[in-house]
Amino acid sequence: PPPPPPPDLLHKVSNDWRKLIARSQDELRHLLRTHVPAGAPIAVTFSSWAYRPFLFNWILLGRDALQYPVVVAFDDPTAEAAARRGVITLALDAGLEMSDFRGKPMVFHQMAAAKSGLVELIVELDYPLLLSDTDVVWAKKPYEHFELYPEADVLISNDCVSPRADEQAAAATPKLIELMGVDGGKSKPHHIYEQARKIAGAQPRCGHFHGTRNEFGVNTGIIFFKPTPATKAFIRTWHGQLQTEVDAYKKDGTKVPYAGDQKVFNEHAMKGVYPVRCLPNTTTGRTLWAWEGKLKLAPLPVRGFTNGPVFFVNRLQQSTHDVPYAAHATFQFQGAAGKRMRFREQNLWALDLEDSQYYADGFFVTWAPQVPEDLLLEPRGEQIDCKRDAKDGFQECDLAHVEVVAHHLRQIRGGMAIAQALNRTSVLPHALCYCDMYWNVITPAGCRMDGSDLIQPFECPYDNILRVEHWEHNEERLGKAQLYLPRPPAFLKSPHLSPAVRNSQLTVRVVPHEEWAKTYPRQRVCFKACAGDSDPLSLCMRDCAGGVTIPEGATGAQLRQMLDGARSARVLRVIGAGSALATPGKDASAPKDFNDAMAEVLPATWCCNKAGTRKHKLPEPLTGRREDANVAIEAALRAPLDESILGSGANAGAATTGAAVQPEAGSALPVAALGGDVPLADYARTVEHDAPLPGVPTPAQTLRPESFSVPLVEVVRRAHSEYSHPATFVAFGTISAKAQVLNWVDNMLRRNLLSHVVVAMDDQLHAALLAAGVSTYHLDCGLGNGDVRGSEEGFRQLGMCKVAFLYGMLARGVHVVLSDNDALWLRDPVPYLLDPKWTSAHIFISTDCLGAIADAAMTGPAPSEKDRGVSTDGGSEVSMRLKYGAEGDLSKLPWYAHPRLGGHAWERNGNIVESAFNTGMLFFRASAETLQFAREWVGAMDDAMQAFRAGKQMHVRDDQQAFNNLIRDHFLPPKVVVPQTTARIFRAHAGKLALLIMPLSVVANGHTYFAQRSSQVAGLVPYGVHNTYNFHGSDGKETRFREAGLWADERAARGAALAQVASGASAREKFLTWAPGVPIDVLAPAGKQTAPAMAHMRAVAYQLLSMRNAAAYANVLNRTLVVPPMMCYCDRYYNVIAGGDSPEKASCRAPGSDLVLPFVCPMDYLIDPGSLDKAGLRWRSHAFLGGGHTGGDAEPGAAALQRSTPRRLPQREVSVALNVAAASKAVDDTLALWGITAEIRELLAASGAFAEGPLLASTGGGDGGGGLVGMVADVRMSETQAQAVASVGGAAAAGLSASGEGAAGKGAVLTALQTAADADVLVLSSAATAACGDDAKALGAANGAVQGIFTSMWCRTPK
C-alpha cells in the first residue's frame, strides 16, 4: 500500500463534527439519507475506546479507498473522536465497556449482536455495505473489483494462506463442474473427489473449490453485503440468533460456548454448503451456494484482500509489486501490540505522523543483522526443502531457525545495550527466519503453516521473535531500566523520515580491542578535524580515518567517550553489535536492571513440533567489564591527542576538504582502503609475460598469438586472498577514453571496490595508467592510439579483445564483473549477484529497457497462466510488434508485454524481453556453461572480423550485437527457469544456460537514471548506472556524470573552490549562474493549453536565450558559468517521438518510456557540452553548487539515497525584472530563426496533449526573491527531482536589484553585477531578457563566442 497521507490531512478537523454524530438509529437513518446518495456503498467499522488507535488508522489510511465511511462507536469519547475526523458516527449505547473486552466472551457477544443489528439497519435501507474490522488497512478502492461478481449476494474475505491455491481453485471451476457435476459430486466416488482436489490445488483453509467436502473458512473482517432479498433474509437470521442469545444471557445468565459474530455467521452460511456448488459461467469462478442454497456467497481473492500471513509474513506484495485492496492483521500472536508493530513494520501506522517528533527528532542506533554463513542452509534445487528430516524428530529448518534467531537475539541485546549506553533510541534491523509461527504443529508441513506459500528463509515480523506486548504492558517498569520499545526496520526507510535524520548516518564497526587500539589515535584526531566540516560526517571520517570502529568488551562509559565525536550523527549503524559491550552502565559490574528487562522482552517458546515444545536459545546476560579488554581500552582513551597524525601521508588534509583520497603514484594506499598496508607498486602490478593458457582462442588474423597471455595472475590472487572478494571487476579502454577510465577507477576506489583491473588496449593508455598507479593490464590489439568508435574494423577488433580477455579470466575460475568505462558501480554488486536466490543463473545482463514500471513488475515470481490472461506462446516476430490496442485484440500480446504490467510494456523498449541486452554491465559466473558461451562469443566476433575483411556484408558491428545474437538463439518463446522465485531468469543460448536480466533498480541505464530518475524517485541507490541513451558522445557522458556528482574532476574542483573560500584567498575563482524555470506565460501565450512538443520548443528557446545572456555576462566579468538544471517538456531520442498517426507516437517520450512530463532533463538534451569548451567558455554543471542529484555521495554499500547538506559557496542574488512580453517575442523570433515554420508549428501543436494532465510550468525568475530555491514551486516533479533542483542553493545575502527592460535600464544589469564583484556566486533571478538594456558593444564579442554551443537537432518527426 502507498505510504500514509501527509500530516496536513491528519490534522484536518471538521468544524461541524457534532452534526455528524447520531445517537439513535433514527438519527443515523437521517444522517445517511442526508449525506449518502441512494444506492452508494457505505463502509462501516465498529470500535470502542480501547481500539481507538486502530480506528483512527482505519479512517486516515482509508480516506482515498473507502466511499462514505461510517463509524459505530460503543462509547461517547470514541464517537466524538471519530466525528472530529469528519466521519459519520453512531454513538451506540450497547452497555459495553470502554476497555478491551475481547477476553470477556459475553460482552464480546453483546458487541456482535449490536454489530449485526446495525448491518441489518443499513442494508434494509438498500445501501450496499462494506463491513470492515478496524485492524484492516485499505490501500485502494475495491468497488470496481466487487462489480466482477454481479451474481453474488455477499462477498467475504477468506483465511486461505496460499494465493496460488486460492487462484487455482477459482480458475478450475469450469473443469470441476464438468468433472463433478453441478451438484458438487455428492455421489461421486472418492477417487474422483481426489482428482478434483488435485485439479483445484486444494490446501487447508482454501476449500472453496467446486465439490470440496471440508476445509472452507471465511473471515468476517471484510464483508460486502449487497441489498438483495437473500442478503436481507440472511442478515435477519444472523442478527436474530445473536440477539436471542444475548437476551437469554441478560435474563437468566445463559452463556454460549463461543463468542463473536464470525462463529454465528459461519454457522449459518455453512449450512448445506458441502459439497461446495459453484455457480457456472461466472466471471471469477468464485461464487457458490451457501445457507442451504439460499445465498450466493463469493470468497474474495486473498491476493487482493490479504490476510496476516499473506501480507505480513509471505509479503506477497513486495515480491509481485501488486498493491492489494486491503490488508487484514489476522493470525497474530501478541494482541494489539503485535498488530501495531506489524503495521509499523510496513509503514502503515498513520498515527506516528500525528506525533510531529516521531520522524523528525531523536538520535538512533541500528545494527546490521550479519547472519553468519555457517548458520544458513544451502538450497538443494530451487529453494530450501524444509520438510527434510535432520535428527531427533527435528528438521533442518527447525534447527536452523533456532540458531538464526539466537543470533538475532544476541544482536538485539547488544544493539539495545549500545542504545542505552548512548541514550539513543534503537531501530531494529530486518530479521531472517526459517520457520513460521502458529498456534499448532507446523514442522510436518515444512516449518510453516499448513498450506502456506511461504518461501524460506523469509523476513519475519518482530512479534514472531520478541514479546512486543510486554513493552506496552510493562512500559513503566521497563522504562526504569531505560529499555524502550524500539522503532521497526521500516522507520529509516519511511518517506516521512526527516532529511536531517536520513542524511546523518554513520557506520560503526565492532573490532577486537587490539585492532581498535591501533586505529583509535587517528580516529580520535579525525573526529576533531571533521567537527567543523559541513560535509556528511560519515564521508569525512571515511576519507580521513577509513571509518569508525569501537572495541569488543567496552563499558558504556568507555563507549560514550570514544564516540563523543559522533554526537552529531543522528543514526549510528553498528556492524557486530552482538559483541560490543560488556555492560551499558557507568560501573563495571553486571547490569542487573538491563539483564532483567531483556529477559522480560525476549521470547521463551515459539512453537511446537512433533518432538514437543520448541524453545528459543536466549543470549547469556551481560556479565560486566572484561579485564583483558579494559586495560587496552583505558590506555588508548587516556593517551594524549596527537594531531600530527594528519600532517603527512596520503590522506593528509582529507578531513578539511571533503575530497576523496587520491594516492600518488608510488605511495601506499591508506590502510582502511585496502584492508592492509599494501604497497601501491604491488597493487598495480601487471603480468605481461605469463605463458599462454591452453584453449584460449587466438585467431591468426585477429589477435597476434603473443598479445594474449594469462591475464593478471597477481590481481586475481589478491582478489581471492588479501581482498577476500569473490569476483574481479574489469573495464577496458583506449587513450581516447582516458578521462572516463580515470573517473571509473576513482569511483571504484571511493566505493572500496579494490578487486578491479583496467585492460589498456593501446600503449599510451597503458603508460598513463601506470603513471597514475592504476591496476592495469596491457592487451595489444593493434588498435593504435586513436578513437576506434568511428572505425568499423577497429570497433570489431576492440570487441574481439574484450571477449578473448573474458574467456581467459573464466578459464582461470574467476567470476567476472564486466563494465564499460562509462558504467559506474555505486555499491558492491557481488552480494546481489551471488545471492543464493539466483544460483540457477549463469550470466547476469543489463537491459536497454525504458519501461521502469513494467521492469519492476517482472521482479517477483512469474505470473501463472491464469494471471497472464493473454497469449503465453512468447509472441512471434509479428505479434511482438503489435501496437497497443491494434485490432482491438490484447490477447495477441505476449504476457511479458501486456499493459497489465503497467507503463508502456507493449512497446519494444518497454519490456525486458524485447529490449536489447546491453553488455556494458554484466556478470559471468565461472562455470562450464559460461566458458563455452565465451568460446562461441569469441568465435562469432572472429567470424564477423573475417567477413568484414573479406568485404562481406555483416550485421555484427560489435561484441554486443554478437552477444544478443547468441543469447537469443531459441530465446522466444521465453522460458522462465524458476517461476516461483522470479520472472527474470530465462533459458537462453538455445537452452544451454540461464540468463538473468538485471532489474533497472539494480543496474540503471542512461534514460531511467538521468532522465526518468526512477531510482532517485524511489529513494534508492542502484548498484550500477550505465551512461547510455546519451547525446554528444563522451562530452555528453561526462556532463551527465558531472550533473550527478559522479565526475572526479568536478568534485576535486568543487573542493578546491571551497578551500579557497575558507582560506580567504583574494585571487579565487568566481561564478555566475541564473535561476532556471520557464514562465507559464512564455510557455502558453494568452493562457492557452500548449501541446508538449510545442511547449518543449518554446521552453528550449527560452532557456537557451537565458544561457546565451548569462554566458555573455560571465565572459565579460571573467566568471565561470554554472549551468542550472534544465526543464524539458519532451524527451530526446534517436527516432520519432512526436506526431504521427498512432497514439504512442504522440506521447513526446522515447517509445516504451515511463517518463513523467515535464522533467529536469540532462544538459546534453539541449546543449552540445563539447562546444562550450571549444568556445573558450569556463563552465560547471549545477552539481558544482549542490553536490549532485543522485547517489554520488552515498556511503559505499548504502542502498538508500542519502541526502546530504553539502557546503555551499557564498551566493548573492541579482534580482532582474522579467519582461514577459519581450521574452515571448524573443522566443518567437528564435523559433523563426530556427526555421520553425507555420506548418511545423501546426504539426507540433497536433502532437497530442500531456498524458498527465494540464500543462504546468515554473514561474521562473522576476519575483525578486526565492532565487534557485523557488524555481520549481509550480512544476509537478517527484520529491527527489525537486530536492535535486532546489539543492543548487539560494541567496545567502541581500539581493541586488536591476531592471532589464528598455533604454531606461541601459547597462543596469551589468552595473549591478559589477557592483557585486566580491560575491563568490552571482545568481541572476532572470536572464532571458537581461541583456536587452545593456551595452551591446560590451557584450557583442561575448555573444559571438557562444553562438556555436547549442545542439543542432532535437528529434525527428514523421515529416
Side-chain angles (χ1 to χ4, degrees), residues 10 118 176 180 188 215 229 426 501 610 692 723 825 1000 1074 1110 1181 1203 1301:
L10 300 181
L118 261 295
L176 292 173
M180 303 292 285
K188 296 288 183 180
E215 301 179 320
S426 54
V501 177
K610 57 188 179 185
Y723 302 150
W825 295 105
L1000 291 169
W1074 72 99
S1181 76
R1203 291 279 164 222
E1301 302 182 38

PDB file of all heavy atoms in Angstrom, residues 10 118 176 180 188 215 229 426 501 610 692 723 825 1000 1074 1110 1181 1203 1301:
ATOM      1  N   LEU A  10      -3.843  14.670   8.402  1.00  0.00           N
ATOM      2  CA  LEU A  10      -4.097  14.023   9.682  1.00  0.00           C
ATOM      3  C   LEU A  10      -4.726  14.986  10.684  1.00  0.00           C
ATOM      4  O   LEU A  10      -5.404  14.575  11.609  1.00  0.00           O
ATOM      5  CB  LEU A  10      -2.787  13.469  10.246  1.00  0.00           C
ATOM      6  CG  LEU A  10      -2.074  12.438   9.372  1.00  0.00           C
ATOM      7  CD1 LEU A  10      -0.815  11.962  10.055  1.00  0.00           C
ATOM      8  CD2 LEU A  10      -2.984  11.263   9.104  1.00  0.00           C
ATOM      9  N   LEU A 118     -26.803  -3.286  13.381  1.00  0.00           N
ATOM     10  CA  LEU A 118     -26.545  -2.105  12.557  1.00  0.00           C
ATOM     11  C   LEU A 118     -26.387  -2.490  11.091  1.00  0.00           C
ATOM     12  O   LEU A 118     -26.783  -1.755  10.191  1.00  0.00           O
ATOM     13  CB  LEU A 118     -25.293  -1.392  13.064  1.00  0.00           C
ATOM     14  CG  LEU A 118     -25.569  -0.179  13.970  1.00  0.00           C
ATOM     15  CD1 LEU A 118     -26.283   0.902  13.182  1.00  0.00           C
ATOM     16  CD2 LEU A 118     -26.406  -0.578  15.191  1.00  0.00           C
ATOM     17  N   LEU A 176     -14.002 -28.355 -12.968  1.00  0.00           N
ATOM     18  CA  LEU A 176     -14.523 -29.117 -11.840  1.00  0.00           C
ATOM     19  C   LEU A 176     -16.025 -29.363 -11.968  1.00  0.00           C
ATOM     20  O   LEU A 176     -16.526 -30.429 -11.581  1.00  0.00           O
ATOM     21  CB  LEU A 176     -14.211 -28.382 -10.535  1.00  0.00           C
ATOM     22  CG  LEU A 176     -12.723 -28.325 -10.149  1.00  0.00           C
ATOM     23  CD1 LEU A 176     -12.527 -27.420  -8.947  1.00  0.00           C
ATOM     24  CD2 LEU A 176     -12.193 -29.723  -9.856  1.00  0.00           C
ATOM     25  N   MET A 180     -17.357 -32.975 -11.687  1.00  0.00           N
ATOM     26  CA  MET A 180     -18.139 -33.367 -10.513  1.00  0.00           C
ATOM     27  C   MET A 180     -19.647 -33.188 -10.695  1.00  0.00           C
ATOM     28  O   MET A 180     -20.426 -33.697  -9.888  1.00  0.00           O
ATOM     29  CB  MET A 180     -17.696 -32.528  -9.304  1.00  0.00           C
ATOM     30  CG  MET A 180     -16.213 -32.627  -8.986  1.00  0.00           C
ATOM     31  SD  MET A 180     -15.751 -34.258  -8.389  1.00  0.00           S
ATOM     32  CE  MET A 180     -16.419 -34.197  -6.723  1.00  0.00           C
ATOM     33  N   LYS A 188     -20.269 -38.937  -6.237  1.00  0.00           N
ATOM     34  CA  LYS A 188     -19.054 -39.343  -6.928  1.00  0.00           C
ATOM     35  C   LYS A 188     -18.168 -40.155  -5.984  1.00  0.00           C
ATOM     36  O   LYS A 188     -18.088 -39.874  -4.788  1.00  0.00           O
ATOM     37  CB  LYS A 188     -18.275 -38.120  -7.423  1.00  0.00           C
ATOM     38  CG  LYS A 188     -18.995 -37.279  -8.469  1.00  0.00           C
ATOM     39  CD  LYS A 188     -19.064 -37.992  -9.814  1.00  0.00           C
ATOM     40  CE  LYS A 188     -19.723 -37.094 -10.860  1.00  0.00           C
ATOM     41  NZ  LYS A 188     -19.809 -37.745 -12.175  1.00  0.00           N
ATOM     42  N   GLU A 215     -12.900 -27.993   4.831  1.00  0.00           N
ATOM     43  CA  GLU A 215     -11.783 -27.041   4.763  1.00  0.00           C
ATOM     44  C   GLU A 215     -12.152 -25.684   4.158  1.00  0.00           C
ATOM     45  O   GLU A 215     -11.315 -24.988   3.622  1.00  0.00           O
ATOM     46  CB  GLU A 215     -10.607 -27.613   3.960  1.00  0.00           C
ATOM     47  CG  GLU A 215     -10.049 -28.904   4.534  1.00  0.00           C
ATOM     48  CD  GLU A 215      -8.901 -29.448   3.711  1.00  0.00           C
ATOM     49  OE1 GLU A 215      -8.989 -29.385   2.467  1.00  0.00           O
ATOM     50  OE2 GLU A 215      -7.943 -29.914   4.314  1.00  0.00           O
ATOM     51  N   PRO A 229     -32.737  -9.399  -1.644  1.00  0.00           N
ATOM     52  CA  PRO A 229     -33.650 -10.082  -0.700  1.00  0.00           C
ATOM     53  C   PRO A 229     -32.956 -11.213   0.047  1.00  0.00           C
ATOM     54  O   PRO A 229     -33.189 -11.397   1.248  1.00  0.00           O
ATOM     55  CB  PRO A 229     -34.767 -10.599  -1.617  1.00  0.00           C
ATOM     56  CG  PRO A 229     -34.777  -9.644  -2.776  1.00  0.00           C
ATOM     57  CD  PRO A 229     -33.335  -9.272  -2.992  1.00  0.00           C
ATOM     58  N   SER A 426      16.734   2.742  19.851  1.00  0.00           N
ATOM     59  CA  SER A 426      17.160   1.641  18.981  1.00  0.00           C
ATOM     60  C   SER A 426      16.174   1.456  17.833  1.00  0.00           C
ATOM     61  O   SER A 426      14.967   1.645  17.991  1.00  0.00           O
ATOM     62  CB  SER A 426      17.298   0.338  19.767  1.00  0.00           C
ATOM     63  OG  SER A 426      16.116   0.040  20.466  1.00  0.00           O
ATOM     64  N   VAL A 501      17.526  13.420   9.711  1.00  0.00           N
ATOM     65  CA  VAL A 501      17.874  12.082  10.205  1.00  0.00           C
ATOM     66  C   VAL A 501      18.413  11.221   9.069  1.00  0.00           C
ATOM     67  O   VAL A 501      19.450  10.563   9.203  1.00  0.00           O
ATOM     68  CB  VAL A 501      16.640  11.411  10.849  1.00  0.00           C
ATOM     69  CG1 VAL A 501      16.970   9.999  11.304  1.00  0.00           C
ATOM     70  CG2 VAL A 501      16.145  12.236  12.024  1.00  0.00           C
ATOM     71  N   LYS A 610       6.624 -32.095  16.351  1.00  0.00           N
ATOM     72  CA  LYS A 610       6.302 -33.477  16.702  1.00  0.00           C
ATOM     73  C   LYS A 610       7.181 -34.003  17.825  1.00  0.00           C
ATOM     74  O   LYS A 610       6.888 -35.034  18.420  1.00  0.00           O
ATOM     75  CB  LYS A 610       6.413 -34.366  15.474  1.00  0.00           C
ATOM     76  CG  LYS A 610       7.779 -34.343  14.784  1.00  0.00           C
ATOM     77  CD  LYS A 610       7.723 -35.112  13.476  1.00  0.00           C
ATOM     78  CE  LYS A 610       9.071 -35.074  12.753  1.00  0.00           C
ATOM     79  NZ  LYS A 610       9.000 -35.726  11.432  1.00  0.00           N
ATOM     80  N   PRO A 692      50.918 -18.570 -22.401  1.00  0.00           N
ATOM     81  CA  PRO A 692      49.543 -18.618 -22.915  1.00  0.00           C
ATOM     82  C   PRO A 692      48.764 -19.755 -22.271  1.00  0.00           C
ATOM     83  O   PRO A 692      49.303 -20.819 -21.993  1.00  0.00           O
ATOM     84  CB  PRO A 692      49.731 -18.834 -24.415  1.00  0.00           C
ATOM     85  CG  PRO A 692      51.112 -18.344 -24.695  1.00  0.00           C
ATOM     86  CD  PRO A 692      51.912 -18.658 -23.472  1.00  0.00           C
ATOM     87  N   TYR A 723      42.073  -9.251  -0.662  1.00  0.00           N
ATOM     88  CA  TYR A 723      40.819  -8.507  -0.734  1.00  0.00           C
ATOM     89  C   TYR A 723      39.622  -9.350  -0.340  1.00  0.00           C
ATOM     90  O   TYR A 723      38.546  -8.836  -0.095  1.00  0.00           O
ATOM     91  CB  TYR A 723      40.596  -7.967  -2.157  1.00  0.00           C
ATOM     92  CG  TYR A 723      41.705  -7.080  -2.652  1.00  0.00           C
ATOM     93  CD1 TYR A 723      42.016  -7.004  -3.995  1.00  0.00           C
ATOM     94  CD2 TYR A 723      42.454  -6.318  -1.758  1.00  0.00           C
ATOM     95  CE1 TYR A 723      43.036  -6.187  -4.458  1.00  0.00           C
ATOM     96  CE2 TYR A 723      43.480  -5.510  -2.208  1.00  0.00           C
ATOM     97  CZ  TYR A 723      43.776  -5.450  -3.553  1.00  0.00           C
ATOM     98  OH  TYR A 723      44.775  -4.656  -3.999  1.00  0.00           O
ATOM     99  N   TRP A 825      29.885   1.547 -10.876  1.00  0.00           N
ATOM    100  CA  TRP A 825      29.274   0.790  -9.772  1.00  0.00           C
ATOM    101  C   TRP A 825      29.183   1.709  -8.569  1.00  0.00           C
ATOM    102  O   TRP A 825      30.198   2.214  -8.098  1.00  0.00           O
ATOM    103  CB  TRP A 825      30.097  -0.450  -9.449  1.00  0.00           C
ATOM    104  CG  TRP A 825      30.120  -1.443 -10.571  1.00  0.00           C
ATOM    105  CD1 TRP A 825      31.140  -1.698 -11.429  1.00  0.00           C
ATOM    106  CD2 TRP A 825      29.034  -2.294 -10.965  1.00  0.00           C
ATOM    107  NE1 TRP A 825      30.767  -2.658 -12.348  1.00  0.00           N
ATOM    108  CE2 TRP A 825      29.482  -3.043 -12.084  1.00  0.00           C
ATOM    109  CE3 TRP A 825      27.743  -2.498 -10.498  1.00  0.00           C
ATOM    110  CZ2 TRP A 825      28.673  -3.974 -12.726  1.00  0.00           C
ATOM    111  CZ3 TRP A 825      26.941  -3.433 -11.140  1.00  0.00           C
ATOM    112  CH2 TRP A 825      27.397  -4.153 -12.239  1.00  0.00           C
ATOM    113  N   LEU A1000      16.153  -2.743 -13.471  1.00  0.00           N
ATOM    114  CA  LEU A1000      16.636  -1.368 -13.593  1.00  0.00           C
ATOM    115  C   LEU A1000      16.936  -0.761 -12.227  1.00  0.00           C
ATOM    116  O   LEU A1000      17.698   0.197 -12.129  1.00  0.00           O
ATOM    117  CB  LEU A1000      15.596  -0.517 -14.325  1.00  0.00           C
ATOM    118  CG  LEU A1000      15.422  -0.857 -15.806  1.00  0.00           C
ATOM    119  CD1 LEU A1000      14.197  -0.149 -16.372  1.00  0.00           C
ATOM    120  CD2 LEU A1000      16.661  -0.510 -16.606  1.00  0.00           C
ATOM    121  N   TRP A1074      22.136  31.471 -13.137  1.00  0.00           N
ATOM    122  CA  TRP A1074      20.818  32.104 -13.185  1.00  0.00           C
ATOM    123  C   TRP A1074      19.774  31.111 -12.706  1.00  0.00           C
ATOM    124  O   TRP A1074      19.976  29.894 -12.739  1.00  0.00           O
ATOM    125  CB  TRP A1074      20.492  32.603 -14.592  1.00  0.00           C
ATOM    126  CG  TRP A1074      20.190  31.538 -15.611  1.00  0.00           C
ATOM    127  CD1 TRP A1074      18.954  31.113 -16.027  1.00  0.00           C
ATOM    128  CD2 TRP A1074      21.150  30.753 -16.342  1.00  0.00           C
ATOM    129  NE1 TRP A1074      19.082  30.128 -16.969  1.00  0.00           N
ATOM    130  CE2 TRP A1074      20.420  29.883 -17.182  1.00  0.00           C
ATOM    131  CE3 TRP A1074      22.547  30.702 -16.368  1.00  0.00           C
ATOM    132  CZ2 TRP A1074      21.041  28.977 -18.035  1.00  0.00           C
ATOM    133  CZ3 TRP A1074      23.170  29.799 -17.216  1.00  0.00           C
ATOM    134  CH2 TRP A1074      22.413  28.955 -18.039  1.00  0.00           C
ATOM    135  N   ALA A1110      23.536  34.849 -19.958  1.00  0.00           N
ATOM    136  CA  ALA A1110      24.353  34.598 -18.766  1.00  0.00           C
ATOM    137  C   ALA A1110      25.790  34.302 -19.158  1.00  0.00           C
ATOM    138  O   ALA A1110      26.741  34.727 -18.479  1.00  0.00           O
ATOM    139  CB  ALA A1110      23.760  33.440 -17.967  1.00  0.00           C
ATOM    140  N   SER A1181      28.685  22.325 -14.085  1.00  0.00           N
ATOM    141  CA  SER A1181      27.282  21.894 -14.011  1.00  0.00           C
ATOM    142  C   SER A1181      26.678  22.376 -12.695  1.00  0.00           C
ATOM    143  O   SER A1181      27.383  22.803 -11.781  1.00  0.00           O
ATOM    144  CB  SER A1181      27.186  20.372 -14.089  1.00  0.00           C
ATOM    145  OG  SER A1181      27.571  19.788 -12.854  1.00  0.00           O
ATOM    146  N   ARG A1203      20.496  11.977   1.438  1.00  0.00           N
ATOM    147  CA  ARG A1203      20.547  13.392   1.113  1.00  0.00           C
ATOM    148  C   ARG A1203      21.502  14.094   2.059  1.00  0.00           C
ATOM    149  O   ARG A1203      21.323  14.068   3.268  1.00  0.00           O
ATOM    150  CB  ARG A1203      19.150  14.001   1.241  1.00  0.00           C
ATOM    151  CG  ARG A1203      18.222  13.490   0.171  1.00  0.00           C
ATOM    152  CD  ARG A1203      18.463  14.265  -1.108  1.00  0.00           C
ATOM    153  NE  ARG A1203      17.872  13.533  -2.205  1.00  0.00           N
ATOM    154  CZ  ARG A1203      18.437  13.373  -3.361  1.00  0.00           C
ATOM    155  NH1 ARG A1203      19.616  13.860  -3.595  1.00  0.00           N
ATOM    156  NH2 ARG A1203      17.838  12.709  -4.316  1.00  0.00           N
ATOM    157  N   GLU A1301      14.837  46.099 -18.623  1.00  0.00           N
ATOM    158  CA  GLU A1301      13.922  46.491 -19.673  1.00  0.00           C
ATOM    159  C   GLU A1301      14.321  47.821 -20.317  1.00  0.00           C
ATOM    160  O   GLU A1301      14.567  48.807 -19.626  1.00  0.00           O
ATOM    161  CB  GLU A1301      12.504  46.647 -19.101  1.00  0.00           C
ATOM    162  CG  GLU A1301      12.000  45.375 -18.436  1.00  0.00           C
ATOM    163  CD  GLU A1301      10.585  45.539 -17.914  1.00  0.00           C
ATOM    164  OE1 GLU A1301       9.794  46.205 -18.599  1.00  0.00           O
ATOM    165  OE2 GLU A1301      10.268  45.020 -16.855  1.00  0.00           O
TER     166      GLU A1301
END
